[in-house]
Amino acid sequence: MYAERPSRLAGAVVWTAAPAGPRAWPVLPDGCMDLLWHEGRLLVAGPDTRAHAVDGAPGRWAGVRFFPGTAPALLGVPAHEVRDRRVDLADLWPAHRVRSLTARVAAAPGPARGLEEAALALAADGDPADHLAGRIVAALQAGRSVAATADGLGVGARRLHRRSLAAFGYGPKTLARVLRLQRALALARGGTPLAETAALAGFADQAHLTRDVRRLTGMAPRALLGGGR
């Protein structure tokens, strides 16, 4: 059982999950990082370049999914260091900080609420937001090419790549593909036919959409649309 809601932290989502069987639905690439809680343990989910197979570990899960590019400044870890990984927060932070945050989450009415409060506190106390990262997302989300994005932001291709690695975990070309995947899924789940979805999301045609979805998720679009997140 999975449920989510918008967070009070701008652009973030708060979610809860309880695996219904030994194999849960895979988590799809979305350009985001998550702060996770699992039965009292805190973890960080790095940005995915492919579908992440959930092992169906028993017990409850909760998380805050940060808007793409915002988590590294809050958590103090470059995104590429945790790409395609789930890492114990204790491996990234000093022990006393982990104990303090764990106690804060435990004292809240529920782990999801506790994680959200922790994320809001990190945003209030941490470094300023990376506005360049937000502008990169906006440009690529609008369907601009990587070259046009670099030109529009007034940065060179190398700087754009470096900033993308730190903020998103991968280069701008991969980020553009991930964002395009999410645009396509949103359209298709809303009832838009796949051929029209491909055109609106920025694919050359439906065959291009199918190939890209398979590369990123390991599943065909119709099979993917038959499941959950």
Side-chain angles (χ1 to χ4, degrees):
M1 184 69 177
Y2 174 85
E4 65 176 45
R5 63 171 174 82
S7 172
R8 287 175 290 153
L9 180 65
V13 171
V14 179
W15 59 268
T16 56
R23 290 190 62 82
W25 195 258
V27 177
L28 305 181
D30 57 10
C32 300
M33 291 173 57
D34 293 50
L35 179 61
L36 309 174
W37 175 95
H38 179 238
E39 298 298 330
R41 175 185 170 205
L42 295 178
L43 307 94
V44 171
D48 295 316
T49 59
R50 56 188 180 275
H52 174 77
V54 180
D55 62 9
R60 297 176 300 154
W61 289 82
V64 173
R65 187 180 317 122
F66 298 100
F67 187 78
T70 61
L74 299 179
L75 300 177
V77 56
H80 63 83
E81 292 189 4
V82 290
R83 179 178 56 235
D84 292 321
R85 299 172 61 201
R86 273 52 180 168
V87 183
D88 278 287
L89 189 61
D91 292 335
L92 304 173
W93 282 14
H96 72 278
R97 285 196 69 195
V98 178
R99 286 195 298 269
S100 176
L101 187 62
T102 302
R104 181 174 194 148
V105 174
R113 176 70 176 273
L115 286 175
E116 183 179 29
E117 295 291 346
L120 289 165
L122 289 171
D125 297 339
D127 295 332
D130 185 348
H131 294 295
L132 179 59
R135 294 170 67 193
I136 293 170
V137 172
L140 296 176
Q141 188 70 270
R144 295 182 188 172
S145 68
V146 172
T149 297
D151 289 343
L153 298 178
V155 299
R158 290 185 179 180
R159 184 184 175 202
L160 178 63
H161 190 79
R162 288 196 303 271
R163 293 297 292 271
S164 295
L165 283 178
F168 311 112
Y170 29 64
K173 288 185 178 180
T174 299
L175 177 63
R177 291 178 63 213
V178 167
L179 295 176
R180 186 173 60 187
L181 167 72
Q182 290 296 328
R183 287 199 303 276
L185 291 176
L187 288 165
R189 286 170 177 158
T192 304
L194 285 180
E196 187 179 349
T197 288
L200 292 173
F203 294 90
D205 51 30
Q206 186 175 338
H208 180 202
L209 180 152
T210 298
R211 289 194 302 272
D212 225 36
V213 168
R214 283 188 180 277
R215 291 190 190 106
L216 288 168
T217 72
M219 302 173 69
R222 294 191 187 282
L224 190 60
L225 293 169
R229 173 176 175 269

